[in-house]
Amino acid sequence: MAGMITPQELEQLKTYQGTNPMPEDFDAFWAARMEEAESVPLDWELNPAAVPSYPTCDFLDLWFTGMGGARLYAKYLKPRLDQPVPLVLQFHGYPGAGRSWLEQASFAGMGCALIALDCPGQGGLGQDIGGYTGTTVTGHIVAGLDGDPKEMYYVRLHQNIRILARIVRKLEGIDLNRVYVNGASQGGGIGIACAALNPDLIRKAAILYPFLSDYQKVWELGADQIAYEGIRYYFRWFDPTGERKTETFTKLGYIDSHNFAHLVRCEVLFGTGLSDTICPPATQFAVYNNLTCKKQHHFYPEFEHEEIQAFDDLILDFFGGGETV
């Protein structure tokens, strides 16, 4: 299959640490961003969803105010049980929105509540207030790249997720000792950052072929197409000679999944399709190899950037099999 790596390449990838630089103030930068998100007054509401609830599960619309006053949206499903239930924070792929109520209900069948956030401005109901310095023609990766790093799209998104995490602590009937993350592609990249920036809340994370990782490696491989196309257009239009390459990739390092990995404390279930040409395996290994937490990596040689049912089935036991000590 096109793109499949050899056994020798796989062994090399198992020690690959990544290419994209990490800004020297990475940890301090994100500590400051989380403090800013903590200072935002909580303003949120739950309403019945347009689809009817079932006798066993409530379907609810969660609206909340994020950074800069933006109104953000998430689906909230909560089983009707007498005891506190686990909660899954689920993040969707790029671009798009949270999956259908029917598909999300699979977690309710496991006895888990679920919150599925719509990334603002990507096809869902969440509001993207814009105001980015530089191009917004293509790609959320480069939105705000020419301004202060704290105004980049994904910086705001991670801050908004921190606000959402604060709301989670206010929800009734949630077992705060069993809050999990689930995400694939963009959802996987966001999930890594969520676990890294909210270590006292997230207990486990299921991450499949994470996007938003090792941007310079993507560029060097010529894989800056489709999901990563914003990188290619940015250089072609605004830095055609590559004079600002180091500056650009260092700034992108603030929103690089593999740079968040060292901050993750929860257990991680990680999956990689070894024939993936959208998020090259090297960029995924860069994330996994920088994780210092308890972790497990599952390889799927024949799979590209697509649904991997075998990985989905692993989540049943991973989220339902009890807590790790």
Side-chain angles (χ1 to χ4, degrees), residues 52-128:
S53 292
Y54 268 63
T56 56
C57 183
D58 287 315
F59 295 163
L60 302 166
D61 291 330
L62 169 59
W63 288 93
F64 67 98
T65 300
M67 303 300 295
R71 290 297 286 172
L72 302 181
Y73 171 80
K75 294 182 174 72
Y76 179 40
L77 296 81
K78 186 174 184 298
R80 293 179 180 175
L81 296 173
D82 294 332
Q83 69 273 9
V85 297
L87 172 69
V88 176
L89 293 174
Q90 180 151 282
F91 302 109
H92 63 77
Y94 181 75
R99 299 171 183 172
S100 69
W101 293 98
L102 175 64
E103 188 171 354
Q104 303 289 19
S106 60
F107 281 102
M110 295 169 57
C112 296
L114 179 136
I115 290 177
L117 176 71
D118 282 358
C119 293
Q122 291 191 15
L125 299 180
Q127 180 187 33
D128 180 2

Side-chain angles (χ1 to χ4, degrees), residues 5 13 15 24 28 35 44 51 56 88 93-94 119 123 137 140 163 180-181 193 276 278 283 300 305:
I5 64 177
L13 288 178
T15 60
E24 293 182 359
E35 288 183 8
W44 58 284
V51 299
T56 56
V88 176
Y94 181 75
C119 293
V137 172
H140 290 83
I163 295 171
Y180 310 136
V181 161
D276 196 333
I278 306 300
T283 68
Y300 302 93
H305 204 74

